[in-house]
Amino acid sequence: MTEQIEQRVSPATLSDDEKEQTFAFSLLKHLVVPTFVLDAQSKVIIWNLACERLTGISADEVIGTSDHWKAFYETPRPCLADFIVQGKAQDDHQLYLQYAEIVAANNGLYAENWCVMPKVGTQLYLAIDANPIYDKAGNLLAVIETLRDMTAQKEAQHALELLATQDAVTGIANRRRFDELLQLEWGRAMRDAKVLTLLMVDVDHFKIYNDTYGHQAGDACLKGIATTMADCIQRTVDVVARYGGEEFAVILPNAPSSGAIVVAERIRSAIERLDLSEFIAQSSNVTISIGVATMTPLQPGGFTQLIAAADAALYQAKRAGRNRVVAVDLDAGN
């Protein structure tokens, strides 16, 4: 469409509508905001200079094609403007669920997404607006997609989120994050009628260790224990967190008591073998006690019962001599 207008011999032969379109296309080409335009067949008719700089792909490579996806993704998939052309915005939300759902705005669409940017070789977090252009009869003429690089803001946001949810000493999830995830997993287990297991872990005689080697060595000890515990967890759904002081917690979704005991023993054994000379100058070892509680959630917010049961099992392990695992299955009544 734009080529047909621009190939006219004289501007005097253009109608007022065509002159307006020619000016608009010229403006878009030189806009400082990265912008591309698709026609009603999802063919690229404008790929402006700012878009070239952002994507590393020249206009010559994509004009007249539907290959604009290559600027943002490694495999073929619709861009936001394609959704409008195809009239499938409601069907393709799953492509953006990992980052931000598509939002309808002013007859157009808005979304945010991590894009792999194959040509420039780096991931960018882009805020994307796609807006349709219709003729007087209501027929779709084109769709304009504009892009904003929000990578720096997203990375800063991620850093702040880590500070809020990551324990400063050990690098694992902190108490706040533990509470959030336990509540989330409790609700999921209740909905799916699945068991949920919690491990409460306490470092044996940690005060003596801290008094002997100092607080810096104590922090290094906690970090070594946290790292070892995380290495012992094999499923991505499992969570290791620092509960407070020298106490840790492990959330094991859909893990029966028998399987949870295996995990707990693996952790206990790994800590018993842990040579803390990797983390402090002195050669020293510590042990841990673990309480395991398993139950199928029956009511919202009842996870305090699970915590209390795991705590009780932990103290039982300590009273029995430490460096051991004690488990209780609340569903089985033992």
Side-chain angles (χ1 to χ4, degrees):
M1 178 171 62
T2 181
E3 291 177 355
Q4 292 174 348
I5 293 174
E6 292 175 346
Q7 286 174 1
R8 301 280 185 175
V9 176
S10 171
T13 65
L14 299 179
S15 68
D16 289 341
D17 285 344
E18 289 172 329
K19 288 178 181 178
E20 186 177 330
Q21 287 179 336
T22 301
F23 174 77
F25 286 133
S26 178
L27 181 65
L28 288 172
K29 285 182 178 180
H30 296 90
L31 196 66
V32 295
V33 177
T35 304
F36 66 88
V37 181
L38 303 184
D39 65 14
Q41 287 73 48
S42 276
K43 302 292 184 182
V44 179
I45 57 176
I46 290 180
W47 189 266
N48 75 358
L49 296 173
C51 202
E52 289 184 335
R53 289 191 292 268
L54 178 74
T55 65
I57 290 182
S58 68
D60 291 341
E61 296 178 68
V62 289
I63 292 293
T65 77
S66 295
D67 293 337
H68 47 286
W69 62 267
K70 293 181 179 179
F72 310 103
Y73 308 105
E74 292 177 327
T75 56
R77 53 154 283 176
C79 294
L80 204 60
D82 294 301
F83 293 172
I84 295 178
V85 172
Q86 298 168 6
K88 294 182 178 179
Q90 298 302 317
D91 300 329
D92 291 308
H93 280 205
Q94 66 269 21
L95 291 177
Y96 287 85
L97 280 177
Q98 187 177 356
Y99 311 108
E101 289 191 22
I102 298 172
V103 177
N106 300 323
N107 296 322
L109 297 173
Y110 172 84
E112 297 177 6
N113 199 10
W114 279 104
C115 298
V116 297
M117 313 300 288
K119 191 67 176 286
V120 293
T122 185
Q123 282 200 349
L124 295 179
Y125 189 80
L126 301 180
I128 309 161
D129 281 285
N131 291 281
I133 300 174
Y134 299 100
D135 63 17
K136 294 179 180 179
N139 301 310
L140 181 67
L141 291 177
V143 181
I144 301 175
E145 180 163 317
T146 58
L147 311 162
R148 283 180 294 134
D149 184 358
M150 302 281 289
T151 309
Q153 294 92 321
K154 191 66 177 178
E155 289 175 345
Q157 177 188 342
H158 179 66
L160 289 174
E161 289 172 351
L162 280 181
L163 287 175
T165 60
Q166 188 179 66
D167 180 63
V169 173
T170 63
I172 61 175
N174 62 12
R175 174 63 182 273
R176 172 182 172 179
R177 185 60 174 159
F178 165 80
D179 289 341
E180 292 174 350
L181 291 175
L182 182 59
Q183 184 172 357
L184 177 68
E185 292 299 343
W186 180 272
R188 183 177 290 127
M190 185 180 66
R191 181 194 65 208
D192 299 336
K194 303 288 187 181
V195 296
L196 181 63
T197 294
L198 177 65
L199 275 57
M200 296 300 290
V201 181
D202 191 77
V203 183
D204 297 329
H205 302 298
F206 183 71
K207 185 179 184 304
I208 296 175
Y209 185 95
N210 224 19
D211 291 344
T212 301
Y213 299 110
H215 290 291
Q216 286 187 328
D219 285 350
C221 172
L222 294 175
K223 185 173 183 179
I225 290 172
T227 300
T228 303
M229 288 179 61
D231 289 342
C232 290
I233 299 302
Q234 298 177 342
R235 303 185 307 171
T236 57
V237 294
D238 300 334
V239 176
V240 179
R242 186 179 180 190
Y243 193 73
E246 66 271 25
E247 197 166 6
F248 297 85
V250 183
I251 303 172
L252 301 175
N254 195 24
S257 183
S258 57
I261 292 172
V262 171
V263 174
E265 283 290 353
R266 184 191 308 138
I267 292 173
R268 185 204 62 78
S269 178
I271 298 301
E272 186 179 32
R273 298 192 310 270
L274 178 63
D275 181 6
L276 289 171
S277 62
E278 296 181 32
F279 307 97
I280 62 174
Q282 299 90 342
S283 178
S284 179
N285 296 85
V286 294
T287 61
I288 56 174
S289 301
I290 304 178
V292 182
T294 302
M295 68 181 298
T296 303
L298 298 177
Q299 61 183 12
F303 53 83
T304 53
Q305 182 183 358
L306 183 65
I307 295 175
D311 260 334
L314 169 62
Y315 288 121
Q316 186 177 342
K318 284 185 166 295
R319 287 194 299 268
R322 296 182 171 83
N323 192 25
R324 66 192 65 224
V325 174
V326 172
V328 57
D329 187 340
L330 299 179
D331 291 343
N334 55 54

